[in-house]
Amino acid sequence: MTKRRHPDDLFAIRKTKAIPFAFVLDELAGIDPWTRPMFGCTAVYVGERIVFILRDKKDGDDGVWVATTKEHHASLRSELPNLRSITMFGVGETGWQMLPVDAEDFEETVLLACALVRAGDPRIGKVPRPKRRAGRKARDDAGGRAPRSRRE
């Protein structure tokens, strides 16, 4: 049985989850950051580039995830000494790095990372790959044409 909504529910204000480490958005305000929910966290973009993911799920990977590539890890670590790989991605160095919330100088280091983003540092930020269309795999499997339905 389907539960019917009350007509007033259509106009009710939805409660939104608080953004963790919202001071990051304040620090980036001058360059127009925008956010998007991602994996139960908050992704932070500047223009088309994802720069950070703000994560507070009460486990070992909480903090500010930094969008970067392996080639930039050493130089970023010289400026952001607490930078480390994300453990949930497995053993070894990952492309994404993080500034852990439990570090003594967490806020200070995150503010420095924000300053790098404001300065346009090319070591932080990635342009996400475009999303694939839902039917593309089926067409590719059918040799470039739409698959036939079972009724044909």
Side-chain angles (χ1 to χ4, degrees), residues 35-72:
T35 64
R36 173 183 285 168
M38 184 178 289
F39 312 122
C41 305
T42 303
V44 179
Y45 293 79
V46 173
E48 63 181 345
R49 297 170 64 88
I50 185 169
V51 291
F52 301 126
I53 291 181
L54 310 176
R55 185 177 193 277
D56 189 17
K57 292 189 168 210
K58 311 297 183 227
D59 65 23
D61 281 328
D62 287 345
V64 175
W65 292 12
V66 180
T68 188
T69 57
K70 290 181 182 182
E71 67 192 57
H72 299 304

Side-chain angles (χ1 to χ4, degrees), residues 13-91:
I13 297 173
R14 260 174 60 190
K15 292 182 182 180
T16 57
K17 188 176 174 183
I19 294 175
F21 320 120
F23 68 93
V24 169
L25 299 177
D26 294 337
E27 283 299 306
L28 299 177
I31 55 173
D32 299 324
W34 56 281
T35 64
R36 173 183 285 168
M38 184 178 289
F39 312 122
C41 305
T42 303
V44 179
Y45 293 79
V46 173
E48 63 181 345
R49 297 170 64 88
I50 185 169
V51 291
F52 301 126
I53 291 181
L54 310 176
R55 185 177 193 277
D56 189 17
K57 292 189 168 210
K58 311 297 183 227
D59 65 23
D61 281 328
D62 287 345
V64 175
W65 292 12
V66 180
T68 188
T69 57
K70 290 181 182 182
E71 67 192 57
H72 299 304
H73 291 181
S75 63
L76 281 171
R77 262 196 208 97
S78 69
E79 296 180 56
L80 309 168
N82 293 328
L83 199 67
R84 67 166 175 82
S85 286
I86 298 166
T87 58
M88 73 183 317
F89 292 159
V91 179

